[in-house]
Amino acid sequence: MHWLAKNYSKLILLAVVLIVAALIDKALTKVVRRMLDKSQVPNASIFVNILRVVVWVFAIGTLLQPVFGINPTTLFTALGIGGLAVSLGLKDTIANVIGGFGLMLGRVIQPGDYVKVASITGTVKDINWRQTIVRERNGNEMVIPNSILNTASLEKLDPSNECLVSVPFTAKAGVDVERMKADIVSTVELANPQYKPVVKLNGFTPYGIDGTIYAFAKNDLLLSTMADAVAQSIAHADYLEHRAVGSGE
């Protein structure tokens, strides 16, 4: 009771500052997210996280002297001296943070983009303090350090190219080409409604007309599943030349 009587004012100040900081944190987070949604700046968590850190650093700095009896100037000076040693040990983290800023402010990539980095192809889900999260079609989420994205070969894919599959076929000679194309387009299943399937004729073989079906998979569908659906949709069509199967063509 004696300790509470002596320190109750500090406890009240501590509680008030923490509550106010939490309210400001929540309110600013909502405001900034709305502003980012309406602006040209990509909406990524890195900007919100930096704002939250600033709010809480300011709140803690306000409490140091009156509650804990610590001089902020002395503390920040000590942190500055030790910061050099810490920065050497955290150089990779610092490089990732700077890389994240470069990616976002330079609008190199942003959430929703289709990208290919090395053997990873998918949709950018988020860019945070240290890494960029890319979600592949199979559901896997790949975590790529931002510093690597700034140095590795990065390819931005058009959505139509990213979801494209091609299925070759051989049609009988003398078939009604326009009817065949219309039949293929109407029978292909699981296609992305934004893009219609396309049929291209490549030339002629000893067995008939050589062609390729280009279909576009839905966003949540594996490309192999889409290719299988295309093949099954025309497997029993009367315009196919089945003698070409297994001939090495």
Side-chain angles (χ1 to χ4, degrees):
M1 294 298 294
H2 176 71
W3 182 86
L4 289 175
K6 183 179 179 180
N7 296 282
Y8 80 95
S9 59
K10 295 181 180 180
L11 294 175
I12 293 175
L13 177 61
L14 176 63
V16 169
V17 171
L18 293 180
I19 292 173
V20 171
L23 294 176
I24 294 176
D25 180 4
K26 186 175 181 179
L28 285 180
T29 298
K30 290 183 178 180
V31 171
V32 171
R33 287 191 183 278
R34 290 177 182 175
M35 292 176 60
L36 290 174
D37 289 337
K38 297 179 181 179
S39 67
Q40 296 292 330
V41 179
N43 184 4
S45 61
I46 185 171
F47 296 102
V48 176
N49 290 338
I50 290 175
L51 178 63
R52 297 182 66 186
V53 168
V54 171
V55 170
W56 285 104
V57 167
F58 182 79
I60 293 173
T62 303
L63 294 171
L64 287 177
Q65 182 69 40
V67 176
F68 302 103
I70 300 175
N71 189 333
T73 303
T74 304
L75 179 61
F76 292 147
T77 301
L79 291 176
I81 296 174
L84 179 61
V86 174
S87 63
L88 294 176
L90 298 177
K91 60 180 181 179
D92 291 337
T93 300
I94 295 174
N96 289 329
V97 173
I98 295 176
F101 270 113
L103 291 171
M104 297 302 298
L105 297 180
R107 298 185 63 83
V108 178
I109 58 173
Q110 54 186 306
D113 283 347
Y114 293 95
V115 298
K116 181 177 181 181
V117 183
S119 60
I120 301 172
T121 302
T123 306
V124 177
K125 183 179 179 181
D126 191 20
I127 301 175
N128 57 38
W129 284 95
R130 299 186 58 185
Q131 62 264 335
T132 295
I133 302 175
V134 177
R135 188 180 188 277
E136 297 181 311
R137 276 189 171 269
N138 58 12
N140 293 340
E141 292 187 355
M142 309 302 294
V143 180
I144 308 173
N146 291 331
S147 58
I148 292 180
L149 285 177
N150 276 309
T151 56
S153 177
L154 174 65
E155 182 179 3
K156 293 180 67 174
L157 304 176
D158 185 271
S160 62
N161 292 332
E162 188 274 337
C163 64
L164 176 66
V165 299
S166 59
V167 178
F169 70 96
T170 302
K172 296 177 181 178
V175 69
D176 186 337
V177 174
E178 295 303 323
R179 184 186 71 82
M180 178 187 67
K181 287 185 176 182
D183 183 67
I184 292 175
V185 171
S186 63
T187 57
V188 170
E189 299 179 354
L190 304 181
N192 191 322
Q194 292 181 335
Y195 312 101
K196 290 185 177 181
V198 178
V199 181
K200 297 289 186 179
L201 302 182
N202 307 322
F204 300 90
T205 71
Y207 297 95
I209 305 173
D210 184 30
T212 304
I213 302 171
Y214 296 96
F216 305 87
K218 297 178 180 179
N219 294 334
D220 57 350
L221 190 68
L222 293 176
L223 297 183
S224 58
T225 303
M226 185 65 215
D228 177 74
V230 173
Q232 290 193 43
S233 65
I234 66 168
H236 303 291
D238 58 2
Y239 51 78
L240 284 185
E241 178 54 75
H242 297 285
R243 289 181 298 172
V245 178
S247 65
E249 293 293 326

